[in-house]
């Protein structure tokens, strides 16, 4: 596995995030985005990434290699401090895939969520056709808990959304 680290988003990340968010392939993988985003949108996104998770209900972070080069991003969203759960999303740039960055980042965010935030559960969703994400989350300890049938539309085709969950079960 490549050496990796997690860091806060920086203004210098705007161009890279702009590229990722405007890649139609990402839309087809179920990113939730289905329209081009402006640099102003992305700048606001990065500026808000430093807000408190309890205020913003989400946390956005960058995945970097050993030299500090951004290779992807990971975020917690739908954060619910009362019910102690959140959803997780991860993206690794195509040229850095299959090098262990996503697994590192998911493991890091799981540990952070349970040990620092005190969450009890994390959820990840993906299109049923996204086999890479399915294997990633299974490898990282998430369990398949269900699906939403014909939940996501791309063009004229409807896709199922798979739901994976990681429940914190500390040993006693």
């Amino acid at each position: 596995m490549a050496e990796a680290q997690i860091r806060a988003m920086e203004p210098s990340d705007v161009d890279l995030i702009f590229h990722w968010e405007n890649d139609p392939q990402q839309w087809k993988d179920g990113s939730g985005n289905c329209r081009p985003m402006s640099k102003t949108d992305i700048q606001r996104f990065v500026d808000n990434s430093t807000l408190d998770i309890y205020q913003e209900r989400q946390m956005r972070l960058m995945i970097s290699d050993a030299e500090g080069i951004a290779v992807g991003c990971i975020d917690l969203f739908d954060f619910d401090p009362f019910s102690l759960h959140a959803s997780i999303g991860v993206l690794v740039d195509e040229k850095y895939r299959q090098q262990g960055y996503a697994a590192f980042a998911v493991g890091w965010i799981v540990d952070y969520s349970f040990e620092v935030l005190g969450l009890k559960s994390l959820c990840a969703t993906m299109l049923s056709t996204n086999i890479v994400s399915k294997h990633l989350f299974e490898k990282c300890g998430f369990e398949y808990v269900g699906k939403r049938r014909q939940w996501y539309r791309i063009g004229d085709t409807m896709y199922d959304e798979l739901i994976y969950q990681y429940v914190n079960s500390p040993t006693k």
Side-chain angles (χ1 to χ4, degrees), residues 110-128:
V110 166
D111 290 345
Y112 179 86
S113 296
F114 295 158
E115 295 171 14
V116 176
L117 298 176
L119 298 184
K120 299 296 181 194
S121 176
L122 290 172
C123 178
T125 61
M126 69 225 47
L127 294 181
S128 57

Side-chain angles (χ1 to χ4, degrees), residues 68-130:
I69 297 170
V71 300
C73 56
I74 189 162
D75 55 337
L76 287 175
F77 59 98
D78 294 338
F79 172 70
D80 185 336
F82 180 78
S83 295
L84 303 173
H85 62 77
S87 293
I88 180 176
V90 62
L91 176 143
V92 172
D93 189 279
E94 190 172 354
K95 64 185 166 196
Y96 297 103
R97 292 182 183 161
Q98 303 300 315
Q99 298 178 41
Y101 290 113
F104 167 82
V106 170
W108 187 93
I109 208 87
V110 166
D111 290 345
Y112 179 86
S113 296
F114 295 158
E115 295 171 14
V116 176
L117 298 176
L119 298 184
K120 299 296 181 194
S121 176
L122 290 172
C123 178
T125 61
M126 69 225 47
L127 294 181
S128 57
T129 56
N130 193 336

